[in-house]
Amino acid sequence: MFKNITLRDWENIVQKQLKTDDIYAVLSKENLEGIQVKPYYASVAKPLNNLPKIEESTHLVSNYHESSEENVFAFLLNNNVENLTEKVIFVNNKDLAEHISVVETNRYFSLIDIFSEDESGEIREQLGKELLAKNFEKNICIDIALHQNAGATITQQLAVGLAKAKDITEIFGAEILTKIIFKVALGGNYFFEIAKIRALKLLYNQFSKEFGLDEIPYIFAETSLRNKSTADAENNLIRSTLELSAGMIGGADAVYTNNYKIENSSSLSEEISFKQQIVLAYESIINVFDDAGNGSYYIEDLTQQFAEKAWKVFLKMEEEGGYCELLKSGKIQKTIYEQALKEQIWVEEGKIKIIGVNLYPTLEKRRLPRKCTTAVRLSPCGWRKCSNKFITNAHIY
């Protein structure tokens, strides 16, 4: 049997190795999320029950290609495709969602967010009614991937997701909560992203109980665009593989890989991007577990910290009028913009280390990160716009 090591035993050993009494000053690291991360975990204050997902195994989602029809089970569709049978289909186009003919042998999910894409802060109610009239398993998408790509913290992403859900219930009623699918983007902080997926499950379940329900969120997770390099595309493969892994371990119901080549993408790079999912699923089998992170003291602690912080931010947003009102006033844009700039500064100062960008960069292929001197603004939908290549659209490198 292994000897039980107490926290004091561990501290004594580390003090000798580091030759200092104040080991926490050496081992503690600041993070942009404001989350407390301890160097050693021997327990967790409030152990969580298993956090289930809806799908038995995480769907591996590919863009549709006729050549992949026989071997791929789940497709992301932007255009109509006829004669598909026994497939899981994620409809990614508003016009397609309105006109697609539903085949009984397929399963359909809408990835259409009905919040307006401008500062009007409106919910496209008619579009929502049309989507709800469709025989889809999940009809309305709450897109918080948009906010992650714009630079929002995990806490902000989770709070915005709840705030958008609250605004929708005020129009369509509590029963809409059974028809929602969340679209999230997975960033590069591996354990934090695992905890983000799990925290979303906790939060949405708690939120639904306010309406007398007991819902589990359906989570569609895709790789982030924010942390990808245009100069070192091969490093993007490593980043997106870790992101997909975090999504599966966190318990996402479906995962999708954005093309690892930000520029000059091709059908081959798209195929390679999708096959990252295949390798993870069939070599490690992590897509079949309900909650693979359960029992890890570190992940459990992170999950609860994110859930508690996000719930407080959500309640504050509600006090200030909710998501749509905050979007109209520009407060959400301003908050995310300030956070995105702070992250950019941390990258430039080396506080956030990214291989191929500010750590072991391929110097002949890229410029060093520098501060943007061009006019930058955060558009109403959350995207950063700038002519500087380092801060253009979703990715900052």
Side-chain angles (χ1 to χ4, degrees):
M1 297 292 292
F2 292 105
K3 180 183 176 182
N4 184 34
I5 303 296
T6 66
L7 176 60
R8 188 61 221 166
D9 292 334
W10 177 84
E11 289 174 333
N12 289 334
I13 293 171
V14 177
Q15 283 175 349
K16 291 178 182 178
Q17 291 177 336
L18 296 180
K19 298 178 180 179
T20 178
D21 291 332
D22 192 4
I23 62 173
Y24 290 99
V26 177
L27 297 176
S28 298
K29 290 185 178 180
E30 187 181 7
N31 60 75
L32 285 168
E33 300 287 344
I35 292 293
Q36 181 186 10
V37 177
K38 297 185 290 186
Y40 178 83
Y41 291 82
S43 63
V44 63
K46 298 179 290 183
L48 294 172
N49 294 325
N50 196 58
L51 300 176
K53 59 186 179 185
I54 293 177
E55 298 291 357
E56 185 176 345
S57 62
T58 302
H59 289 310
L60 313 179
V61 183
S62 168
N63 288 323
Y64 176 80
H65 295 287
E66 187 176 355
S67 60
S68 60
E69 191 171 321
E70 288 187 11
N71 299 317
V72 176
F73 181 62
F75 285 116
L76 184 74
L77 283 191
N78 287 292
N79 301 298
N80 192 35
V81 178
E82 296 181 351
N83 301 320
L84 286 177
T85 58
E86 298 183 351
K87 301 294 183 184
V88 176
I89 296 173
F90 295 91
V91 181
N92 197 41
N93 179 294
K94 178 176 71 70
D95 294 329
L96 175 60
E98 291 174 345
H99 301 104
I100 192 170
S101 297
V102 175
V103 178
E104 288 186 2
T105 57
N106 295 326
R107 301 173 62 200
Y108 295 85
F109 298 85
S110 167
L111 292 180
I112 312 303
D113 190 315
I114 63 173
F115 286 83
S116 63
E117 298 175 353
D118 55 34
E119 66 273 16
S120 65
E122 295 179 351
I123 296 175
R124 293 172 288 184
E125 187 174 347
Q126 183 57 38
L127 174 60
K129 290 178 179 178
E130 291 172 3
L131 291 171
L132 289 168
K134 293 290 182 180
N135 190 24
F136 294 171
E137 291 192 28
K138 301 292 178 181
N139 305 67
I140 304 292
C141 177
I142 291 181
D143 185 358
I144 54 177
L146 177 72
H147 303 282
Q148 191 280 339
N149 283 317
T153 65
I154 288 174
T155 300
Q156 289 169 342
Q157 294 166 51
L158 295 170
V160 163
L162 291 183
K164 292 175 88 170
K166 176 62 164 53
D167 281 1
I168 288 177
T169 60
E170 291 179 353
I171 293 177
F172 297 103
E175 60 273 13
I176 192 69
L177 297 179
T178 66
K179 293 294 185 178
I180 286 175
I181 177 173
F182 283 90
K183 181 181 178 183
V184 306
L186 300 161
N189 196 329
Y190 186 67
F191 293 105
F192 278 29
E193 292 297 328
I194 294 173
K196 178 173 80 176
I197 299 291
R198 301 179 80 245
L200 178 56
K201 296 185 179 195
L202 275 180
L203 287 165
Y204 194 67
N205 184 255
Q206 180 179 342
F207 177 75
S208 72
K209 286 180 178 178
E210 299 292 326
F211 297 90
L213 301 173
D214 189 21
E215 287 299 303
I216 301 168
Y218 195 106
I219 301 175
F220 179 98
E222 65 178 23
T223 55
S224 174
L225 297 173
R226 181 166 180 76
N227 61 355
K228 302 304 184 291
S229 170
T230 58
D232 292 301
E234 290 75 16
N235 278 317
N236 293 339
L237 278 170
I238 300 171
R239 293 188 188 107
S240 54
T241 298
L242 290 171
E243 290 161 8
L244 290 167
S245 173
M248 293 182 191
I249 291 175
D253 294 286
V255 291
Y256 171 76
T257 320
N258 284 302
N259 201 308
Y260 76 94
K261 281 194 173 182
I262 303 298
E263 295 179 351
N264 303 317
S265 60
S266 63
S267 58
L268 178 59
S269 63
E270 183 179 317
E271 181 181 356
I272 291 172
S273 297
F274 171 66
K275 285 185 175 178
Q276 291 176 268
Q277 302 175 29
I278 302 294
V279 171
L280 281 170
Y282 290 97
E283 294 296 328
S284 64
I285 326 178
I286 56 175
N287 65 318
V288 302
F289 297 100
D290 264 357
D291 188 7
N294 185 272
S296 165
Y297 298 143
Y298 177 39
I299 293 175
E300 293 276 280
D301 187 64
L302 291 179
T303 299
Q304 292 178 62
Q305 285 193 68
F306 278 127
E308 290 168 5
K309 284 171 68 71
W311 187 259
K312 290 178 182 178
V313 175
F314 161 64
L315 293 179
K316 184 178 179 182
M317 292 176 69
E318 287 304 298
E319 290 175 0
E320 295 175 351
Y323 176 79
C324 289
E325 288 301 316
L326 289 171
L327 195 67
K328 290 177 187 177
S329 70
K331 287 185 178 180
I332 287 180
Q333 297 93 314
K334 183 176 183 291
T335 302
I336 294 176
Y337 171 66
E338 290 172 349
Q339 185 64 34
L341 279 185
K342 185 176 181 180
E343 181 187 21
Q344 178 72 17
I345 291 169
W346 275 40
V347 171
E348 293 172 5
E349 292 178 348
K351 291 182 180 179
I352 297 175
K353 293 180 172 59
I354 305 177
I355 292 175
V357 176
N358 62 0
L359 188 67
Y360 313 123
T362 307
L363 295 176
E364 66 273 14
K365 288 186 177 181
R366 64 180 294 282
R367 296 173 292 171
L368 291 174
R370 58 181 174 81
K371 290 184 179 179
C372 176
T373 57
T374 330
V376 183
R377 69 181 179 87
L378 187 69
S379 71
C381 65
W383 291 87
R384 301 170 70 197
K385 308 263 182 164
C386 177
S387 58
N388 183 322
K389 180 172 271 189
F390 288 105
I391 315 184
T392 182
N393 290 331
H395 45 90
I396 57 175
Y397 311 120

